[in-house]
Amino acid sequence: DRKGRWQGENAAELLAYTAERGYRVDAWELGNEVNIFFAVHGPKAQVTPGQYARDLRAARALVDRTTPGARLAGQGSAYWPVLGEPLGALYGLLPGYLKGAGDVVDLVTWHYYPQQSRRGPLASRRAHPARLLDPANLDEAGHWAEKVNGWRDRYAPGRPVWLGETGNAQYGGEPGLSDVFLGGLWWLDQMGLMARLGQEVVVRQSLTGMNYGLLDESTLEPRPDYWNSLLWKQLMGPRVLAARAWGEGAERLRVYAHGGAEPDGVTVLAINLDPEREALLDFPGLEGRGREVYAVTAPDFLGGVVLLNGEVLALSGGALPALRGVRRDEVRLEPLSYAFVRFEAG
């Protein structure tokens, strides 16, 4: 229809169109943030969990007939900080539709932003440079992720859970915060937290556009979170390992550990949230192993320049630079900085 939603026969035509032209379709998602239709289109447009479950069953039949083998995802419910699903008692959708149709979906998705830009009229947590330096605010993503995991376990056991949309701040990101170095502490922490909770895919909003884009919209130059994403993909392997911080100042130190292709190779990501104190790191159990340190800092926390081991990260003739670690016996994290420490197999 004119609002870009596919309904009834139109949905069948869309699926048939892709099949006829030989497009490879990996997954379909029925709707987007249907749980907040009441806010976008008015209360009369709100879809009930029962209706949505029936729609999912119809969509399952369409997908199987026109693009067999493609996966079907339920709509990604919007979750707000503090509130969860807004007005969830009246319009909450995710647990209800999973109860009615969890057996026909292949993926369970949800959306989460930890704060809201000042662009938006409503907010449960306004974006501010200090807000996501508070460990309790960072941990809230894990609170809602565990809720979604629990509903998946109950109504759609065995299905993967994806954080299907996330960014530093709702409403396009916060200018001067979502597009600068400081935002990277949140981004890396949230990826680590979701991996720890078994959510294997995190979809970033967005590649380009507004202030949360990984690339500057006008120049296509990488922003800090582009470099953070690249480092994560290069260094953090698929196996999630147990890790925790202890000692003086540990409440401001976030640590995650992943294993890579080598059977006992390990990469540790350590994030120092303290704006004043550095952190000296020890790695019990990994002593004696060779290690490379990828220390990430910035000359200005609210700027766009990222330093890897003291060198500015930037494109060269349109090409990515080599991301190289350095051998160090001692690992110190400057205030508001982070490092990936890659240990050789023992």
Side-chain angles (χ1 to χ4, degrees):
D1 64 13
R2 292 182 180 179
K3 294 182 179 178
R5 295 171 302 194
W6 291 84
Q7 300 177 7
E9 292 181 355
N10 286 341
E13 291 169 7
L14 173 63
L15 271 63
Y17 179 90
T18 62
E20 289 167 2
R21 284 153 182 79
Y23 295 152
R24 180 182 179 275
V25 179
D26 181 66
W28 293 98
E29 183 178 59
L30 182 63
N32 179 65
E33 297 186 349
V34 178
N35 68 310
I36 58 170
F37 273 17
F38 72 91
V40 179
H41 305 294
K44 291 183 179 180
Q46 187 59 46
V47 178
T48 66
Q51 178 61 58
Y52 186 73
R54 291 190 291 275
D55 292 344
L56 269 177
R57 292 189 176 279
R60 175 82 271 171
L62 278 173
V63 168
D64 290 345
R65 185 170 72 248
T66 57
T67 53
R71 292 176 291 179
L72 177 64
Q75 61 86 43
S77 280
Y79 276 71
W80 281 28
V82 183
L83 300 179
E85 288 192 286
L87 296 184
L90 294 175
Y91 302 116
L93 192 69
L94 195 148
Y97 92 71
L98 284 179
K99 183 177 181 180
D103 58 318
V104 302
V105 297
D106 301 301
L107 301 168
V108 177
T109 67
W110 65 298
H111 299 173
Y112 178 75
Y113 291 81
Q115 54 189 356
Q116 286 100 4
S117 165
R118 62 177 178 266
R119 286 192 182 96
L122 302 173
S124 53
R125 180 184 292 132
R126 282 290 181 202
H128 184 278
R131 294 261 154 81
L132 298 187
L133 299 179
D134 183 341
N137 290 340
L138 291 175
D139 285 339
E140 192 178 314
H143 167 77
W144 297 117
E146 288 180 324
K147 290 281 189 185
V148 176
N149 284 351
W151 290 319
R152 180 275 315 273
D153 292 344
R154 184 172 181 181
Y155 300 123
R159 273 64 166 187
V161 178
W162 290 9
L163 179 51
E165 182 182 317
T166 189
N168 181 270
Q170 224 169 356
Y171 310 125
E174 178 71 7
L177 177 56
S178 300
D179 49 5
V180 301
F181 176 85
L182 192 65
L185 280 70
W186 156 79
W187 177 226
L188 290 169
D189 185 79
Q190 185 162 287
M191 286 195 289
L193 189 57
M194 292 302 106
R196 181 179 289 171
L197 293 172
Q199 300 197 6
E200 60 192 45
V201 172
V202 174
V203 180
R204 172 63 182 254
Q205 178 82 320
S206 58
L207 179 60
T208 185
M210 305 297 282
N211 295 98
Y212 47 32
L214 298 179
L215 304 175
D216 182 276
E217 190 170 15
S218 58
T219 67
L220 298 185
E221 289 292 318
R223 287 174 170 160
D225 274 351
Y226 179 91
W227 300 116
N228 293 327
S229 302
L230 191 61
L231 284 163
W232 175 280
K233 291 292 288 185
Q234 178 172 304
L235 298 171
M236 298 294 276
R239 293 183 293 113
V240 181
L241 308 173
R244 67 182 180 91
W246 69 92
E248 187 178 358
E251 68 280 358
R252 288 275 182 174
L253 187 64
R254 314 281 285 193
V255 293
Y256 302 96
H258 284 208
E262 296 176 313
D264 57 349
V266 176
T267 299
V268 176
L269 167 62
I271 305 168
N272 185 7
L273 300 176
D274 198 301
E276 297 177 350
R277 299 173 57 181
E278 71 173 13
L280 175 61
L281 305 184
D282 256 343
F283 302 92
L286 297 172
E287 300 95 336
R289 292 196 189 188
R291 65 190 180 194
E292 289 184 327
V293 178
Y294 299 74
V296 186
T297 57
D300 178 4
F301 303 133
L302 296 177
V305 176
V306 177
L307 306 178
L308 177 61
N309 294 320
E311 299 292 328
V312 175
L313 287 177
L315 298 179
S316 177
L320 292 170
L323 303 178
R324 297 190 179 96
V326 297
R327 299 263 174 178
R328 287 183 185 166
D329 294 329
E330 186 177 75
V331 181
R332 288 182 180 270
L333 292 183
E334 295 181 13
L336 300 182
S337 74
Y338 41 97
F340 299 85
V341 184
R342 172 177 272 184
F343 292 88
E344 296 175 353

